[in-house]
Amino acid sequence: MRVKYAINLGILTDTSNPLYAEQQLKNALSILDDSYTHSDQSKQKALAYDCLGIIERRRNNYDKALHYYLTALEIKEKAKDSSKIGRSYHNIAMLFRSQGKYDKAISYMKKALVMRRNDSLDYGVSLSNYGHFLYLKKAHDSALIVLDSAKNYFTAPLYLSDVNRYKAKIYRDKKMYKKALELHKKNLVIYKKEEKIERLASTMKDLAYSARKMNQFDKASRYLDSSEVLAAQYGNKSLLGHLYLERYKIQRDQKNYKKALFYYRTYKKYRDSSKTLEQSARFEKLVLEFRFKQESYRDSLQASTEKIELQRVAKTQRSQKRLFAILFFLAVIALVSLFFLYRYKRKIALRNHQKQELETELLNEKVNFLRFKTERLLMDNKMRIDFKKELLDTIKDLQTKDSSSGVIERYQTILVQLKNQITTEKRLDSVSEVNNMSEANFEIELAERFPTLTKSEREICHLMYLNLSLKEIMNVRNATLSSIKSARYRIRKKLDVPKGEELELFIRKLL
């Protein structure tokens, strides 16, 4: 199972990640060589070597690829598996085709045809490629016969499209452009149905070529436009470059040299980006061809004027492009900077807003708690007032009934104390409404201006602001005289009250 999965991974990733595929295939071969004892050992080894050969062929490492193919062929010959041997011959033929060695490619493809005769699909594929090899050898008539024969072995449309494509190339070389157009149109139907976008784009380009050769320049331009849209979808820069080459040729054939120059330069950009030897050679050919056209009109005043105008326009366009590129780059930098600055400021503002909301919410909770506590205290105080009034009335009643001097004295003392207590608690009750209205604002302002004050010290400041005496504050706070005096001393220090000034008066002036 490890061997099968490793080989399958190699097959699935040989195009997208050839290094990983090569590693998996070599891991499979290592297991096969060391401890593999299954009956399909030779079959798996041959498959792994075939896959390695394909990877090296795509890298243009033809000697290494041939070594892998021959190793796989040797294993298959020992196993006497004729269909697999035919596959190896087919691979070797395709390798020689990639090197341009068409004679060797044809000889190996003939061997493949002999071995693959029992499998109609494989035989048809090899026969189709054999016809293509004959076309490359310029044996057009023989190639057409072979390709027509290959069609009999195919039922799948995609395989038929390959035969049509090879035949269209032959008709194009024989200048039978009408037949080539018909075959390309058949392929368009197949590729649209199978949703093969890359092949659609390439076929549109071939249609444009044949239409141009038939002097159908408008039709050729429409085919090129359709091909460009499709090629842009999957980013085929090589095909885009060839499309501009074909546009250049259309304008050249129509003697629109100004447009031809533009398309030629565009093609040059695509050609330079691809950096392949084949494209470089084609580009040099285009350069020579264009220079020849320019020199052929050198003695003509009109051609000279056009040449000067083209050079001036080209120079102006280059300058404008450079300027636009610089301005665009600066604009992008400015926009990015503004975007990040805006994000930063918005983030800071949001953070400050959240912090302020949290602080306000916390302060409101504190104020609400203090208000609740004060209201409760004032309610209790009012109850005590009512009780003491009732008690006072009772004592007065007793005083009128009992004339004993000792009792009267005692009653009078109680009366004085109760009167003082009622006076104090009435004052507390009288400030209830004022306290409810000013408590929240007083606490907030005091906390903002003097953050060093504790919650207890702010509450004592509030009671002094309401003009309560030390004794009254002791009763409200349920604290001793010494603790209230200590708190007043700390408050004077924290508020920085000048010597000789009353603390209560300072607080009222301050707030």
Side-chain angles (χ1 to χ4, degrees):
M1 295 300 289
R2 286 175 60 198
V3 168
K4 288 181 179 179
Y5 287 143
I7 293 176
N8 286 335
L9 273 173
I11 293 171
L12 291 170
T13 59
D14 63 349
T15 302
S16 59
N17 192 348
L19 290 176
Y20 177 76
E22 183 180 16
Q23 180 184 2
Q24 293 298 324
L25 292 168
K26 288 184 177 179
N27 286 343
L29 286 172
S30 176
I31 299 172
L32 289 166
D33 290 336
D34 291 343
S35 58
Y36 196 78
T37 57
H38 201 271
S39 59
D40 64 350
Q41 179 180 14
S42 60
K43 178 182 175 181
Q44 296 290 354
K45 287 182 73 171
L47 180 58
Y49 280 119
D50 274 334
C51 294
L52 287 170
I54 292 171
I55 292 172
E56 295 300 337
R57 188 190 74 191
R58 288 174 180 160
R59 293 172 176 169
N60 297 330
N61 295 332
Y62 299 122
D63 292 339
K64 204 167 185 179
L66 181 60
H67 168 71
Y68 284 134
Y69 284 151
L70 292 175
T71 304
L73 177 60
E74 184 180 353
I75 295 171
K76 294 172 186 177
E77 286 175 341
K78 288 181 180 178
K80 297 180 180 180
D81 190 342
S82 60
S83 62
K84 301 299 181 183
I85 292 172
R87 178 64 181 172
S88 286
Y89 286 142
H90 181 95
N91 289 339
I92 294 170
M94 298 301 289
L95 175 64
F96 284 126
R97 196 277 317 259
S98 300
Q99 294 177 274
K101 299 176 180 179
Y102 302 129
D103 291 332
K104 285 189 175 181
I106 289 172
S107 66
Y108 273 98
M109 193 58 76
K110 286 180 178 179
K111 293 180 181 179
L113 287 170
V114 173
M115 293 293 183
R116 309 183 88 179
R117 193 175 295 275
N118 294 329
D119 190 320
S120 61
L121 179 60
D122 289 344
Y123 183 79
V125 171
S126 294
L127 196 61
S128 175
N129 281 282
Y130 176 55
H132 187 220
F133 295 167
L134 291 173
Y135 155 73
L136 295 173
K137 285 283 291 178
K138 306 297 181 184
H140 294 158
D141 294 335
S142 299
L144 285 173
I145 294 171
V146 172
L147 290 170
D148 285 334
S149 177
K151 289 174 65 175
N152 299 324
Y153 295 91
F154 295 136
T155 55
L158 279 177
Y159 290 111
L160 289 172
S161 69
D162 288 336
V163 174
N164 291 337
R165 183 160 50 93
Y166 296 149
K167 287 179 69 176
K169 289 182 179 180
I170 296 171
Y171 288 137
R172 194 174 66 181
D173 286 359
K174 297 178 74 172
K175 299 183 179 180
M176 300 167 68
Y177 302 115
K178 189 173 181 180
K179 286 190 174 183
L181 275 172
E182 291 174 357
L183 290 172
H184 286 314
K185 287 178 180 178
K186 288 181 180 180
N187 279 355
L188 279 181
V189 176
I190 295 172
Y191 296 147
K192 285 180 181 177
K193 186 176 180 181
E194 298 291 333
E195 296 182 353
K196 298 293 183 180
I197 298 177
E198 294 188 28
R199 293 194 178 189
L200 267 175
S202 180
T203 304
M204 289 287 186
K205 185 204 68 158
D206 293 335
L207 280 167
Y209 176 88
S210 298
R212 177 176 65 83
K213 287 295 185 178
M214 297 170 67
N215 293 329
Q216 298 174 359
F217 299 118
D218 292 339
K219 186 178 289 187
S221 297
R222 288 197 296 271
Y223 285 137
L224 290 175
D225 291 339
S226 300
S227 180
E228 184 176 357
V229 171
L230 295 172
Q233 289 183 9
Y234 60 92
N236 190 333
K237 291 186 178 180
S238 175
L239 179 57
L240 286 171
H242 283 88
L243 294 178
Y244 279 102
L245 171 62
E246 194 61 36
R247 292 182 192 276
Y248 156 74
K249 290 180 179 180
I250 291 172
Q251 298 301 324
R252 180 199 62 190
D253 292 347
Q254 292 180 296
K255 298 184 179 180
N256 295 329
Y257 298 112
K258 189 173 182 179
K259 285 187 176 180
L261 176 63
F262 171 76
Y263 290 132
Y264 154 74
R265 284 178 173 157
T266 308
Y267 165 70
K268 179 183 175 182
K269 291 178 183 177
Y270 280 103
R271 196 275 311 172
D272 290 342
S273 64
S274 62
K275 294 182 181 179
T276 62
L277 294 176
E278 181 181 357
Q279 289 174 328
S280 298
R282 291 181 181 177
F283 171 70
E284 292 299 329
K285 183 179 178 181
L286 288 174
V287 171
L288 292 173
E289 187 177 354
F290 185 76
R291 287 179 179 174
F292 173 78
K293 289 294 183 181
Q294 284 184 320
E295 291 175 1
S296 65
Y297 291 93
R298 183 174 54 186
D299 297 332
S300 170
L301 179 61
Q302 183 180 359
S304 300
T305 305
E306 186 178 353
K307 178 180 178 181
I308 293 169
E309 180 66 18
L310 286 173
Q311 289 176 346
R312 186 188 66 79
V313 171
K315 186 176 180 180
T316 304
Q317 287 179 346
R318 284 197 298 271
S319 301
Q320 289 177 348
K321 286 179 181 179
R322 281 197 294 269
L323 178 61
F324 289 153
I326 292 170
L327 291 175
F328 176 75
F329 181 70
L330 292 175
V332 169
I333 291 176
L335 287 173
V336 171
S337 302
L338 288 172
F339 173 71
F340 281 109
L341 181 62
Y342 167 75
R343 279 189 61 187
Y344 175 75
K345 287 188 175 181
R346 190 168 180 273
K347 188 176 181 181
I348 294 297
L350 183 62
R351 188 182 300 166
N352 291 337
H353 179 68
Q354 291 175 346
K355 184 178 178 181
Q356 187 176 3
E357 283 185 346
L358 288 173
E359 290 177 352
T360 304
E361 186 178 352
L362 181 61
L363 190 57
N364 288 336
E365 290 292 332
K366 290 182 178 179
V367 169
N368 291 334
F369 176 74
L370 184 58
R371 181 182 290 109
F372 169 75
K373 188 175 178 182
T374 306
E375 288 175 354
R376 185 175 177 184
L377 178 63
L378 292 173
M379 188 180 294
D380 292 342
N381 184 54
K382 191 172 182 180
M383 292 174 63
R384 286 196 297 272
I385 289 173
D386 294 337
F387 170 74
K388 288 173 183 177
K389 279 183 180 179
E390 184 181 351
L391 182 61
L392 183 60
D393 293 338
T394 304
I395 292 172
K396 283 180 179 181
D397 185 55
L398 288 173
Q399 187 178 3
T400 56
K401 292 179 180 180
D402 195 345
S403 60
S404 174
S405 60
V407 173
I408 292 173
E409 248 178 57
R410 186 176 174 189
Y411 282 159
Q412 287 176 346
T413 303
I414 293 171
L415 286 172
V416 170
Q417 290 177 350
L418 287 173
K419 283 181 180 179
N420 292 336
Q421 184 66 25
I422 289 170
T423 302
T424 300
E425 291 176 350
K426 277 185 177 181
R427 289 184 62 196
L428 286 173
D429 189 47
S430 65
V431 299
S432 176
E433 292 183 2
V434 178
N435 181 52
N436 288 337
M437 294 171 59
S438 64
E439 179 182 358
N441 293 332
F442 181 91
E443 285 285 333
I444 292 171
E445 188 172 357
L446 196 65
E448 287 179 349
R449 296 184 61 178
F450 302 100
T452 57
L453 289 173
T454 64
K455 182 176 182 297
S456 176
E457 290 167 352
R458 287 198 299 271
E459 291 175 357
I460 294 172
C461 286
H462 192 197
L463 295 174
M464 287 191 289
Y465 178 79
L466 298 174
N467 202 23
L468 268 66
S469 65
L470 283 176
K471 188 174 181 181
E472 290 168 343
I473 295 173
M474 285 169 52
N475 292 333
V476 172
R477 298 285 297 171
N478 193 21
T480 61
L481 181 62
S482 60
S483 65
I484 298 299
K485 286 183 177 181
S486 298
R488 283 173 56 86
Y489 176 79
R490 292 195 301 274
I491 292 169
R492 288 185 69 92
K493 288 290 185 182
K494 292 181 180 180
L495 298 184
D496 197 16
V497 180
K499 290 184 179 179
E501 187 169 352
E502 291 184 6
L503 179 58
E504 290 82 356
L505 183 60
F506 180 84
I507 291 173
R508 281 194 290 275
K509 286 181 181 179
L510 192 65
L511 299 173

XYZ file of all heavy atoms in Angstrom, residues 450 452-458 460-461 464 477 479 481-497 503 507:
264
model
N -9.193 65.658 41.720
C -8.286 65.157 42.769
C -8.321 63.635 42.776
O -8.977 63.011 43.607
C -8.717 65.714 44.144
C -8.750 67.202 44.203
C -9.943 67.873 44.077
C -7.585 67.931 44.366
C -9.979 69.253 44.115
C -7.609 69.314 44.409
C -8.808 70.000 44.267
N -6.251 61.530 43.716
C -5.595 60.841 44.843
C -6.556 60.583 45.997
O -6.252 59.791 46.888
C -4.408 61.676 45.343
O -4.866 62.980 45.714
C -3.346 61.795 44.238
N -7.697 61.261 46.003
C -8.669 61.055 47.087
C -9.272 59.658 46.996
O -9.617 59.201 45.916
C -9.792 62.090 47.005
C -9.429 63.545 47.372
C -10.596 64.456 47.085
C -9.009 63.651 48.827
N -9.418 59.021 48.152
C -10.067 57.710 48.173
C -11.585 57.891 48.153
O -12.109 59.011 48.321
C -9.666 56.919 49.414
O -10.145 57.605 50.572
C -8.149 56.778 49.501
N -12.296 56.779 47.972
C -13.760 56.829 47.929
C -14.318 57.329 49.267
O -15.238 58.158 49.314
C -14.295 55.435 47.601
C -15.796 55.342 47.468
C -16.188 53.941 47.049
C -17.705 53.826 46.865
N -18.441 54.069 48.118
N -13.727 56.858 50.367
C -14.186 57.275 51.694
C -13.948 58.765 51.908
O -14.803 59.477 52.445
C -13.451 56.456 52.766
O -13.801 56.900 54.048
N -12.776 59.255 51.440
C -12.465 60.684 51.605
C -13.388 61.541 50.751
O -13.794 62.635 51.170
C -11.002 60.922 51.230
C -10.035 60.315 52.247
C -8.607 60.276 51.737
O -8.396 60.572 50.542
O -7.706 59.951 52.509
N -13.762 61.076 49.573
C -14.693 61.842 48.747
C -16.077 61.918 49.411
O -16.767 62.935 49.330
C -14.811 61.202 47.362
C -13.581 61.407 46.495
C -13.894 61.160 45.021
N -14.344 59.806 44.757
C -13.559 58.789 44.468
N -12.244 58.974 44.417
N -14.060 57.598 44.207
N -16.674 61.888 52.673
C -16.572 62.847 53.789
C -16.586 64.273 53.258
O -17.228 65.166 53.827
C -15.295 62.566 54.614
C -15.427 61.201 55.311
C -15.028 63.659 55.622
C -14.169 60.730 55.999
N -15.887 64.506 52.116
C -15.916 65.829 51.483
C -17.345 66.214 51.110
O -17.751 67.387 51.244
C -15.025 65.839 50.245
S -13.267 65.847 50.593
N -19.173 67.308 54.234
C -18.733 68.655 54.642
C -19.300 69.699 53.702
O -19.640 70.818 54.100
C -17.201 68.713 54.658
C -16.582 67.958 55.830
S -14.832 68.289 56.022
C -14.188 67.437 54.602
N -21.403 58.436 59.279
C -20.359 57.476 58.879
C -20.234 56.332 59.868
O -19.525 55.364 59.578
C -18.999 58.180 58.760
C -18.921 59.259 57.721
C -18.849 58.703 56.350
N -17.630 57.916 56.194
C -17.356 57.154 55.160
N -18.259 57.051 54.186
N -16.247 56.476 55.079
N -18.568 56.396 62.677
C -17.125 56.351 62.922
C -16.811 57.158 64.178
O -17.635 57.924 64.680
C -16.376 56.922 61.724
N -14.567 59.968 66.465
C -14.134 61.343 66.223
C -12.702 61.387 65.717
O -12.369 62.169 64.814
C -14.283 62.149 67.531
C -13.892 63.637 67.449
C -14.798 64.351 66.461
C -13.968 64.294 68.830
N -11.863 60.535 66.282
C -10.442 60.541 65.872
C -10.292 60.139 64.399
O -9.480 60.722 63.669
C -9.626 59.601 66.755
O -10.136 58.273 66.643
N -11.080 59.169 63.948
C -10.961 58.739 62.547
C -11.428 59.839 61.605
O -10.846 60.051 60.528
C -11.756 57.462 62.318
O -13.138 57.706 62.505
N -12.506 60.590 61.983
C -12.990 61.685 61.135
C -11.945 62.793 61.089
O -11.682 63.390 60.026
C -14.336 62.216 61.651
C -15.392 61.116 61.606
C -14.796 63.422 60.837
C -15.657 60.581 60.224
N -11.318 63.089 62.259
C -10.284 64.129 62.275
C -9.083 63.729 61.410
O -8.512 64.560 60.700
C -9.849 64.393 63.717
C -10.879 65.168 64.524
C -10.346 65.469 65.924
C -11.347 66.311 66.719
N -10.852 66.635 68.083
N -8.694 62.452 61.494
C -7.575 61.975 60.658
C -7.909 62.117 59.175
O -7.081 62.514 58.354
C -7.257 60.515 60.991
O -6.862 60.389 62.324
N -9.153 61.776 58.817
C -9.578 61.887 57.419
C -9.540 63.346 56.970
O -9.120 63.667 55.849
C -10.981 61.312 57.245
N -9.982 64.282 57.868
C -9.944 65.712 57.511
C -8.504 66.167 57.279
O -8.223 66.956 56.367
C -10.596 66.545 58.651
C -12.117 66.493 58.667
C -12.639 67.195 59.919
N -12.170 68.554 60.013
C -12.767 69.613 59.428
N -13.885 69.429 58.741
N -12.280 70.836 59.552
N -7.586 65.663 58.112
C -6.174 66.044 57.950
C -5.636 65.561 56.601
O -4.960 66.313 55.862
C -5.364 65.434 59.097
C -3.875 65.696 58.974
C -3.347 66.915 59.330
C -3.016 64.711 58.478
C -1.989 67.162 59.206
C -1.666 64.954 58.340
C -1.157 66.178 58.720
O 0.184 66.417 58.580
N -5.947 64.329 56.216
C -5.491 63.804 54.924
C -6.115 64.586 53.763
O -5.455 64.865 52.753
C -5.847 62.321 54.803
C -5.071 61.419 55.742
C -5.195 59.959 55.316
N -6.579 59.509 55.298
C -7.224 59.022 56.370
N -6.600 58.943 57.550
N -8.481 58.627 56.251
N -7.372 64.943 53.925
C -8.056 65.684 52.861
C -7.413 67.054 52.673
O -7.211 67.523 51.546
C -9.552 65.803 53.169
C -10.216 64.420 53.072
C -10.240 66.782 52.227
C -11.623 64.382 53.609
N -7.092 67.742 53.800
C -6.425 69.058 53.697
C -5.115 68.930 52.933
O -4.781 69.784 52.085
C -6.166 69.632 55.099
C -7.394 70.112 55.834
C -7.007 70.777 57.144
N -6.333 72.038 56.910
C -6.948 73.217 56.838
N -8.271 73.298 56.978
N -6.272 74.327 56.629
N -4.356 67.877 53.212
C -3.070 67.684 52.524
C -3.280 67.447 51.023
O -2.578 68.017 50.176
C -2.339 66.494 53.135
C -1.784 66.753 54.524
C -0.600 67.731 54.470
C 0.045 67.889 55.852
N 1.151 68.868 55.806
N -4.203 66.562 50.680
C -4.413 66.210 49.282
C -5.027 67.357 48.480
O -4.747 67.502 47.284
C -5.307 64.967 49.178
C -4.623 63.705 49.693
C -5.504 62.489 49.562
C -4.801 61.240 50.087
N -5.625 60.027 49.965
N -5.875 68.193 49.142
C -6.474 69.332 48.451
C -5.577 70.560 48.491
O -5.884 71.569 47.840
C -7.841 69.670 49.050
C -8.924 68.604 48.966
C -10.237 69.143 49.512
C -9.120 68.133 47.539
N -4.489 70.468 49.272
C -3.539 71.591 49.408
C -4.261 72.850 49.905
O -4.178 73.936 49.305
C -2.846 71.857 48.069
C -1.589 72.711 48.267
O -1.117 72.816 49.421
O -1.102 73.281 47.256
N -5.003 72.700 51.033
C -5.755 73.815 51.613
C -4.786 74.757 52.330
O -3.966 74.299 53.138
C -6.829 73.286 52.580
C -7.621 74.434 53.182
C -7.760 72.314 51.852
N -11.703 74.098 56.048
C -11.772 73.066 55.013
C -13.139 73.073 54.319
O -13.227 72.960 53.084
C -11.498 71.690 55.636
C -11.550 70.494 54.688
C -10.546 70.669 53.555
C -11.281 69.201 55.448
N -13.847 73.733 50.314
C -14.502 72.750 49.427
C -15.661 73.396 48.690
O -15.861 73.185 47.493
C -14.965 71.527 50.237
C -13.750 70.722 50.727
C -15.873 70.626 49.393
C -14.096 69.610 51.658
